[in-house]
């Protein structure tokens, strides 16, 4: 008897969808041979008829209505690549209700509704695969789901957003201000026309939620993730970071502490010698710290159609193995509820702080006293540039609780000789 043909339906022909089609066109015979499968890209749903035109599949298999595809009895595996919450969520639910395995790159949806969708898949003896939702072509979901499942994960720390890493790299290498670096990222295809989700840190926070849910085996409430983007970072901050032997990166950090789970995304100064400091441009990297395994670092292209399409194809192959009975594919994610979160105020960091102050006697003494009164110990103080009749003061604290630092900072900002809008960046690693 010949091998069972496994028919794949694809929804969405954007950048990633287009690359998935290319991978099917260029690598399918190799994939089928290597995996002893008979996969085929059967149908594609896309609202823009222009995008469907050049597809090398019969016209009757080109659909404008994705709901038709997810109900189609011919289709075994649905790839959802439209992104966003609706209609993606309804399409995936419908696909599962109709007995199909699902592959998705949709981080927003998996981060916020993943538990509900996995539960539905479990109840139908099906599964949802989402390797492409985090880190593009870097394998991050499988290592957490399978390879490291025997260890206790203490921490995941990563550069999970290619757009912001590209912007910070260009600011650092070319001395650009944020707006110029963003424009360059957009020109070179590394930032969307609306880059807000990336530059404000939301994209990285969704990816962190997905990783943390797997790493710590718990449901994650999006409202409990502290998120701060990179829009306030200036070329001046980057220069000062260099002076103290650091670079600035947007980090996503998930930790299991004795008191609960702490999740945060924010810019951080890290030592130039740290391996994450040399992760540049659109590249991503993640450190996973296990109790027994120690540090595992995964590095690669975290965005872009071609790298991401490989993660999707790996999921399609896994789904096809399930469908053809080569593998048992029950949902393995077991997320405990009632997660206890440690708010950022209870964490400690070293802080970099930059502000403008009147350049006259007693200013340094005044803000030093406020910090001293709140047990904020200063490690470095730099005052070397005058901006008009103002002095630019840069200081770095020793390790201090967020709450104490913020209270002290509020009081410093109330001093008449200090100008508003300070820049604060945590020092990490
Ligand atoms: N803009 C995102 C990034 C794409 O740069 O990482 C993948 O989420």
């Amino acid at each position: 008897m010949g091998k069972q043909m496994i028919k794949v339906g694809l929804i969405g022909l954007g950048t990633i969808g287009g690359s998935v089609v290319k991978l099917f066109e260029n690598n399918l015979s190799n994939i089928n041979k290597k995996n002893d499968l008979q996969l085929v890209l059967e149908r594609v749903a896309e609202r823009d008829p222009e995008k469907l035109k050049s597809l090398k599949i019969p016209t009757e298999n080109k659909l404008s209505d994705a709901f038709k595809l997810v109900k189609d009895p011919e289709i075994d595996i649905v790839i959802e690549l439209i992104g966003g919450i609706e209609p993606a969520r309804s399409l995936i639910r419908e696909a599962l209700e109709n007995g199909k395995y699902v592959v998705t790159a949709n981080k927003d949806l998996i981060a916020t509704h993943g538990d509900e969708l996995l539960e539905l898949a479990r109840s139908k003896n099906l599964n949802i695969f989402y390797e492409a939702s985090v880190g593009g072509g870097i394998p991050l979901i499988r290592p957490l789901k399978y390879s490291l499942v025997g260890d206790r994960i203490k921490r995941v720390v990563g550069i999970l957003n290619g757009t912001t890493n590209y912007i910070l790299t260009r600011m650092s290498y070319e001395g650009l201000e944020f707006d110029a670096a963003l424009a360059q990222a957009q020109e070179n295809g590394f930032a969307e026309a609306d880059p807000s989700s990336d530059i404000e840190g939301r994209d990285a926070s969704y990816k962190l939620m997905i990783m943390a849910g797997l790493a710590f085996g718990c449901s994650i409430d999006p409202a409990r993730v502290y998120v701060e983007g990179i829009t306030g970072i200036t070329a001046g901050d980057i220069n000062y970071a260099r002076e103290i032997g650091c670079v600035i990166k947007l980090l996503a950090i998930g930790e299991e502490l004795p008191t609960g789970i702490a999740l945060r995304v924010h810019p951080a100064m890290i030592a130039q010698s740290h391996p994450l400091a040399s992760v540049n441009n659109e590249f991503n990297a993640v450190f996973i710290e296990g109790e027994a395994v120690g540090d595992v670092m995964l590095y690669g292209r975290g965005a872009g159609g071609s790298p991401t399409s490989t993660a999707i194809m790996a999921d399609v192959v896994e789904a096809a193995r399930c469908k053809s009975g080569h593998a048992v594919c029950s949902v393995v994610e077991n997320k405990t509820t009632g997660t206890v979160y440690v708010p950022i105020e209870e964490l400690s960091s070293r802080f970099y702080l930059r502000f403008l102050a009147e350049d006259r006697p007693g200013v340094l003494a005044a803000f030093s006293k406020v910090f001293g009164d709140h047990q904020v110990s200063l490690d470095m103080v730099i005052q070397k540039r005058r901006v008009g009749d103002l002095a630019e003061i840069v200081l770095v604290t020793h390790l201090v609780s967020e709450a104490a630092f913020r209270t002290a900072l509020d009081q410093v900002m109330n001093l008449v000789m200090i100008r508003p809008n300070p820049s604060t960046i945590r020092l990490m690693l």
Side-chain angles (χ1 to χ4, degrees):
M1 213 175 80
K3 275 190 287 284
Q4 178 194 356
M5 185 176 281
I6 311 274
K7 294 182 179 173
V8 179
L10 167 65
I11 305 173
L13 276 183
T15 311
I16 301 174
S19 296
V20 169
V21 170
K22 265 194 211 142
L23 206 53
F24 267 101
E25 286 171 357
N26 300 336
N27 203 25
L28 188 61
S29 57
N30 175 43
I31 289 167
N32 278 336
K33 195 167 137 220
K34 210 160 73 173
N35 296 286
D36 195 22
L37 291 168
Q38 204 186 340
L39 272 168
V40 62
L41 179 62
E42 184 73 8
R43 282 194 185 133
V44 176
E46 162 62 48
R47 277 200 299 215
D48 180 354
E50 276 307 305
K51 289 186 180 160
L52 283 168
K53 262 189 193 158
S54 57
L55 270 187
K56 295 178 198 140
I57 60 171
T59 312
E60 65 272 21
N61 289 347
K62 300 178 183 182
L63 310 175
S64 56
D65 180 4
F67 280 95
K68 225 167 142 184
L69 187 146
V70 294
K71 290 180 192 158
D72 186 339
E74 287 287 300
I75 299 297
D76 301 299
I77 301 169
V78 169
I79 308 175
E80 179 277 307
L81 296 177
I82 55 174
I85 305 300
E86 285 295 349
R89 174 169 168 248
S90 300
L91 285 166
I92 290 179
R93 290 193 67 92
E94 198 68 44
L96 292 167
E97 295 286 1
N98 282 278
K100 297 164 201 334
Y101 286 91
V102 173
V103 173
T104 179
N106 192 332
K107 59 194 156 295
D108 309 30
L109 183 64
I110 293 297
T112 55
H113 295 79
D115 295 350
E116 159 211 319
L117 295 172
L118 283 164
E119 218 28 68
L120 177 60
R122 197 194 308 270
S123 73
K124 301 279 172 195
N125 284 322
L126 292 163
N127 213 334
I128 307 175
F129 302 99
Y130 48 94
E131 182 63 68
S133 64
V134 185
I138 313 171
L140 289 171
I141 301 301
R142 275 189 187 76
L144 287 170
K145 215 163 119 176
Y146 304 117
S147 324
L148 296 169
V149 78
D151 201 2
R152 183 185 188 106
I153 307 299
K154 297 186 299 183
R155 200 170 187 231
V156 291
V157 184
I159 295 170
L160 289 178
N161 183 269
T163 301
T164 45
N165 204 40
Y166 184 89
I167 291 170
L168 291 171
T169 305
R170 293 340 304 163
M171 288 176 77
S172 178
Y173 280 43
E174 294 172 37
L176 300 178
E177 283 296 353
F178 174 80
D179 287 341
L182 170 59
Q184 196 190 98
Q186 285 170 321
E187 260 166 46
N188 294 331
F190 295 117
E192 311 260 354
D194 174 4
S196 51
S197 176
D198 295 307
I199 62 179
E200 289 164 10
R202 282 193 304 282
D203 175 87
S205 78
Y206 289 139
K207 294 168 179 170
L208 175 65
M209 287 172 62
I210 297 171
M211 291 192 71
L214 288 169
F216 309 128
C218 58
S219 284
I220 305 288
D221 175 359
R224 307 304 296 270
V225 185
Y226 175 82
V227 185
E228 186 186 313
I230 64 161
T231 51
I233 304 290
T234 64
D237 294 323
I238 288 182
N239 284 334
Y240 281 119
R242 190 176 292 122
E243 264 184 53
I244 60 171
C246 290
V247 295
I248 300 177
K249 295 289 181 190
L250 181 70
L251 294 188
I253 305 163
E255 294 168 288
E256 189 176 48
L257 302 169
T259 44
I261 304 288
L263 301 169
R264 54 209 168 111
V265 172
H266 56 67
M269 290 193 179
I270 60 176
Q272 283 161 355
S273 56
H274 191 279
L276 287 177
S278 52
V279 176
N280 283 323
N281 292 316
E282 75 276 24
F283 281 81
N284 285 190
V286 179
F287 258 86
I288 302 172
E289 295 175 29
E291 206 164 69
V293 74
D295 284 349
V296 174
M297 183 172 170
L298 296 138
Y299 167 87
R301 288 185 195 277
S306 177
T308 308
S309 68
T310 66
I312 288 162
M313 195 57 101
D315 281 351
V316 169
V317 167
E318 189 171 351
R321 287 191 187 125
C322 303
K323 180 70 191 171
S324 60
H326 291 3
V328 180
C329 287
S330 43
V331 171
V332 295
E333 290 88 338
N334 187 28
K335 307 276 186 69
T336 56
T337 50
T339 310
V340 176
Y341 297 92
V342 183
I344 190 140
E345 293 76 16
E346 288 176 23
L347 301 178
S348 293
S349 286
R350 293 176 70 206
F351 283 89
Y352 155 97
L353 172 63
R354 178 174 57 80
F355 58 86
L356 294 175
E358 289 169 23
D359 197 2
R360 61 179 167 86
V363 173
L364 204 123
F367 71 73
S368 301
K369 178 168 185 324
V370 176
F371 283 124
D373 289 347
H374 289 87
Q375 302 301 312
V376 178
S377 173
L378 303 182
D379 181 29
M380 288 181 226
V381 180
I382 305 170
Q383 179 193 323
K384 59 176 175 185
R385 194 169 298 157
R386 290 176 67 101
V387 182
D389 61 347
L390 298 172
E392 187 168 55
I393 315 268
V394 172
L395 53 88
V396 176
T397 71
H398 283 294
L399 199 66
V400 57
S401 85
E402 288 260 350
F405 177 76
R406 286 187 196 185
T407 310
L409 181 59
D410 282 351
Q411 286 195 17
V412 168
M413 288 300 124
N414 280 336
L415 296 171
V416 284
M417 58 286 239
I418 308 291
R419 293 294 171 267
N421 302 322
S423 163
T424 57
I425 302 172
R426 295 165 188 84
L427 272 78
M428 304 280 306
L429 306 173

